Amino acid sequence: QVQLVESGGGWVQAGGSLRLSCTASASGGIFGGFAMGWYRQAPGKERELVASITSTSTTDYADSVKGRFTISRDNRKSTVYLQMNSLKAEDTAVYYCNAKYGLGSGWGQGTQVTVSS
């Protein structure tokens, strides 16, 4: 399966910004066919879809992050990004990268985002 590695998580004050990255162990040409998504899971809550981007770069967002978060991809670098602005305490969670492709799907190990109020 494709390996996914997230980076960019950390601690930030409310109102601040972070950019998460997820790099896949696949060539740019193959990665371009993946549908990618960012999920998050807070303590005691179910994992939820935050943002997604298709192979044609169509994007979708959870209502809770719309207007604040932006998902993008660079197929040449086999990387998907999540730019998070105007962060709130309720954004605190472990963020996971997900890839869907013809042969299956996979998850990264997650990166912690902590927003202090």
Side-chain angles (χ1 to χ4, degrees):
Q1 291 184 326
V2 173
Q3 300 273 77
L4 302 173
V5 180
E6 301 102 333
S7 63
W11 178 91
V12 66
Q13 211 168 4
S17 299
L18 285 173
R19 188 180 74 160
L20 306 183
S21 298
C22 172
T23 299
S25 61
S27 70
I30 294 174
F31 179 82
F34 295 177
M36 303 296 298
W38 284 100
Y39 293 72
R40 68 185 181 188
Q41 188 165 22
K45 296 184 178 180
E46 295 183 346
R47 188 173 298 186
E48 64 174 345
L49 178 63
V50 176
S52 63
I53 184 166
T54 69
S55 60
T56 57
S57 294
T58 298
T59 60
D60 197 15
Y61 300 90
D63 288 341
S64 60
V65 307
K66 194 170 296 183
R68 299 188 297 120
F69 291 10
T70 303
I71 188 171
S72 61
R73 65 193 298 160
D74 186 338
N75 292 339
R76 294 181 182 179
K77 296 181 178 179
S78 298
T79 299
V80 63
Y81 305 95
L82 185 67
Q83 179 66 47
M84 305 184 293
N85 298 326
S86 302
L87 283 162
K88 305 174 180 180
E90 49 262 45
D91 295 318
T92 295
V94 178
Y95 284 70
Y96 298 91
C97 178
N98 176 262
K100 293 181 180 179
Y101 47 93
L103 231 50
S105 63
W107 294 90
Q109 295 191 128
T111 185
Q112 177 70 48
V113 172
T114 302
V115 184
S116 64
S117 58

